[in-house]
């Protein structure tokens, strides 16, 4: 009998938030003004990053920390309260910034910060109670990301109140972008791929994966911290060096995972999409490096990066998020091998043709502006089909729960 506190019931509820934010981001993206420009609105960006991605990180990091350290997850009802509180803060931010409600911006930021601190405390407790110390150092990626998002929240609040005419405004926003994308999202993704990638390939983890992850983390943290300070003091050369440090760290951390492909190649939607996302991330970092060195003021750099945000989504964030969910949802929502296979079949429908949608949309977004609408259509199609399949999997999982 399902009490509603088990793993499948928890993930069914928690991932509904992720899917809902992805749907909201899709709707906001296709209905925004000046859609043909190819630049997503503030609301679309934050529905995807603050809404869908942050919910996915909070939900799935608990899953990975528990699996890596052999610890029990927290009480599911308490976790649901945490996720609900997080989303109160997120919705508060979305409303407050859109409507320019200063007190609500601060209150919502405090709520989200409190949840992140609670999240970090949970990781610290899990490390102390760990029955398996082998992967404890991989979990440091989640800790580092959590600490950095607190910096990102502070910068975001400052950016919400600072005048657009203030010369510090583009520096604050640039630092906010870098610490959130490279720190909160990037570190979490890289740390997760260290162990998720061999699982998706259905092979054993590389024997040197943890030692390379530890070495890479040093470069990654140096790159994020360096990017914050270099942006704030307006030193583009130092910012470029910081981005290069970050790229080197990512390559080091994921080199053992890449080496696995010598004997085991991607063969399904999740593995191919994660590979596309990893390669896309490298291209995003190289593009960031070039933009920083070829623009001579924070205003120009910020404008250039904002113009490429949709490309960042299609090259890196969306393939990674959709690929991860394609693999993970059947694993946690199924209640046995047969149910897992049925949900996986739903999530993998039409994957061979769907695989090309986001890379093709990225190609059109790289072309002159008149081609951007094609990139937008393909992005919306890719996300829309995924959401239909995910909704079908969630509905089928609810049917499974009613039989237990």
């Amino acid at each position: 009998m399902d009490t509603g506190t088990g793993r499948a019931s928890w993930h069914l509820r928690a991932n509904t938030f992720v899917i809902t934010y992805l749907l909201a981001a899709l709707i906001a993206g296709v209905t925004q003004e000046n859609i043909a420009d190819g630049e997503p609105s503030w609301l679309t960006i934050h529905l995807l990053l603050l809404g869908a991605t942050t919910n996915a990180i909070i939900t799935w990091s608990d899953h990975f920390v528990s699996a890596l350290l052999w610890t029990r997850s927290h009480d599911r009802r308490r976790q649901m309260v945490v996720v609900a509180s997080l989303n109160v803060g997120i919705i508060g931010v979305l409303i407050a910034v859109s409507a320019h409600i200063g007190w609500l911006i601060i209150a919502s930021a405090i709520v989200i910060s409190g949840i992140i601190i609670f999240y970090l405390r949970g990781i610290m407790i899990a490390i102390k109670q760990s029955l398996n110390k082998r992967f404890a150092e991989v979990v440091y990626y989640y800790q580092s990301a959590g600490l950095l998002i607190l910096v990102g929240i502070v910068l975001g609040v400052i950016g919400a109140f600072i005048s657009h005419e203030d010369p510090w405004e583009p520096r604050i926003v640039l630092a906010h972008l870098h610490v959130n994308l490279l720190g909160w999202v990037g570190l979490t993704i890289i740390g997760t791929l260290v162990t998720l990638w061999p699982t998706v390939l259905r092979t054993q983890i590389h024997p040197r994966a943890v030692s390379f992850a530890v070495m890479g983390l040093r470069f990654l943290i140096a790159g994020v911290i360096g990017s914050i300070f270099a942006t704030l003091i307006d030193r583009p050369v130092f910012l470029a060096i910081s981005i290069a440090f970050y790229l080197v760290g990512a390559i080091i951390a994921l080199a053992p995972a890449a080496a696995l492909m010598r004997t085991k190649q991607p063969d399904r939607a999740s593995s191919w999409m994660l590979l596309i996302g990893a390669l896309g991330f490298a291209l995003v970092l190289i593009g960031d490096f070039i933009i920083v060195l070829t623009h001579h003021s924070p205003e120009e750099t910020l404008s250039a990066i904002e113009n490429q945000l949709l490309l960042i989504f299609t090259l890196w964030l969306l393939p990674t998020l959709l690929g991860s969910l394609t693999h993970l949802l059947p694993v946690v929502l199924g209640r046995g091998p047969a149910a897992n296979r049925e949900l996986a079949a739903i999530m993998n429908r039409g994957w061979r043709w769907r695989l090309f949608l986001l890379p093709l949309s990225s190609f059109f977004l790289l072309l002159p502006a008149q081609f951007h609408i094609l990139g937008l259509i393909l992005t919306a199609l890719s996300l829309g089909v995924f959401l239909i399949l995910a909704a079908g999997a969630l509905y089928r999982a609810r049917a499974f729960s009613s039989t237990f």
Side-chain angles (χ1 to χ4, degrees):
M1 186 74 174
D2 182 34
T3 63
T5 59
R7 183 181 75 166
S9 296
W10 151 247
H11 279 285
L12 185 61
R13 293 174 181 139
N15 283 284
T16 300
F17 284 106
V18 179
I19 301 303
T20 301
Y21 279 114
L22 286 173
L23 177 60
L26 174 61
I27 294 171
V30 300
T31 58
Q32 70 179 53
E33 295 180 4
N34 303 318
I35 183 175
D37 293 344
E39 183 180 332
S41 66
W42 181 94
L43 181 60
T44 304
I45 293 167
H46 285 79
L47 282 168
L48 180 58
L49 290 177
L50 184 59
T53 305
T54 296
N55 269 277
I57 289 173
I58 295 295
T59 300
W60 288 104
S61 60
D62 174 78
H63 172 81
F64 284 106
V65 169
S66 299
L68 294 175
L69 301 181
W70 298 356
T71 58
R72 283 187 177 182
S73 294
H74 299 298
D75 177 79
R76 297 299 187 187
R77 288 189 177 89
R78 185 172 67 171
Q79 284 183 311
M80 201 65 236
V81 171
V82 169
V83 171
S85 301
L86 171 68
N87 284 284
V88 168
I90 290 173
I91 293 170
V93 168
L94 297 176
I95 294 172
V97 175
S98 300
H100 308 288
I101 306 173
W103 68 267
L104 186 55
I105 293 174
I106 296 173
S108 301
I110 290 172
V111 170
I112 296 173
S113 299
I115 296 301
I116 296 298
I117 292 169
F118 184 84
Y119 161 82
L120 290 169
R121 177 179 174 273
I123 294 176
M124 289 178 61
I125 293 172
I127 292 173
K128 288 180 181 178
Q129 297 176 347
S130 171
L131 299 176
N132 176 28
K133 301 296 185 184
R134 180 187 177 194
F135 295 109
E137 291 170 312
V138 176
V139 176
Y140 293 159
Y141 275 80
Y142 300 127
Q143 282 187 307
S144 302
L147 291 170
L148 288 167
I149 188 60
L150 293 175
V151 178
I153 291 170
V154 172
L155 291 170
V157 171
I158 295 172
F161 283 94
I162 199 168
S163 167
H164 290 300
E165 286 72 36
D166 193 310
W168 279 93
E169 194 261 353
R171 303 186 194 186
I172 296 292
V173 176
L174 264 178
H176 175 70
L177 272 173
H178 279 96
V179 72
N180 287 350
L181 286 173
L182 303 186
W184 176 234
V185 181
L187 287 186
T188 302
I189 288 175
I190 293 168
T192 300
L193 285 176
V194 170
T195 54
L196 178 62
W197 180 245
T199 303
V200 171
L201 287 183
R202 293 171 294 171
T203 189
Q204 291 186 338
I205 191 169
H206 194 284
R208 300 189 66 187
V210 174
S211 61
F212 271 69
V214 172
M215 190 189 318
L217 183 59
R218 297 176 185 137
F219 283 86
L220 291 163
I221 292 175
V224 177
I225 294 175
S227 71
I228 297 169
F229 285 106
T231 301
L232 292 177
I233 64 174
D234 190 17
R235 293 293 184 271
V237 173
F238 292 160
L239 177 55
I241 292 171
S242 299
I243 295 166
F245 256 72
Y246 190 97
L247 177 58
V248 169
I251 292 171
I252 293 172
L254 296 178
L260 296 176
M261 287 193 294
R262 282 185 259 177
T263 56
K264 193 77 173 179
Q265 287 76 42
D267 62 352
R268 59 187 61 195
S270 55
S271 53
W272 274 111
M273 292 184 78
L274 287 173
L275 178 60
I276 289 170
L279 295 175
F281 190 26
L283 293 177
V284 166
L285 291 171
I286 292 169
D288 192 15
F289 179 87
I290 294 171
I291 287 173
V292 166
L293 285 183
T294 55
H295 292 78
H296 305 295
S297 71
E299 293 84 357
E300 292 178 0
T301 303
L302 177 60
S303 177
I305 292 176
E306 287 180 335
N307 287 337
Q308 302 302 324
L309 277 175
L310 183 58
L311 190 59
I312 292 172
F313 294 159
T314 59
L315 280 172
W316 170 43
L317 287 175
L318 285 175
T320 303
L321 184 58
L322 303 191
S324 299
L325 291 174
T326 297
H327 172 76
L328 291 168
L329 286 178
V331 172
V332 298
L333 295 179
R335 297 169 187 265
N340 289 1
R341 286 193 294 272
E342 182 177 342
L343 294 179
I346 293 173
M347 295 300 299
N348 281 277
R349 285 177 183 167
W351 73 266
R352 285 179 174 83
W353 67 266
R354 288 194 293 121
L355 197 64
F356 295 97
L357 291 177
L358 288 174
L360 194 56
S361 70
S362 300
F363 171 75
F364 283 117
L365 291 171
L366 285 168
L367 296 177
Q370 59 264 35
F371 294 97
H372 289 181
I373 189 65
L374 295 174
L376 289 166
I377 292 171
L378 290 172
T379 302
L381 179 61
S382 175
L383 184 53
V385 172
F386 172 83
L387 288 172
I388 292 171
L389 296 177
L394 292 174
Y395 177 80
R396 191 70 186 106
R398 289 186 188 276
F400 293 149
S401 69
S402 66
T403 63
F404 280 80

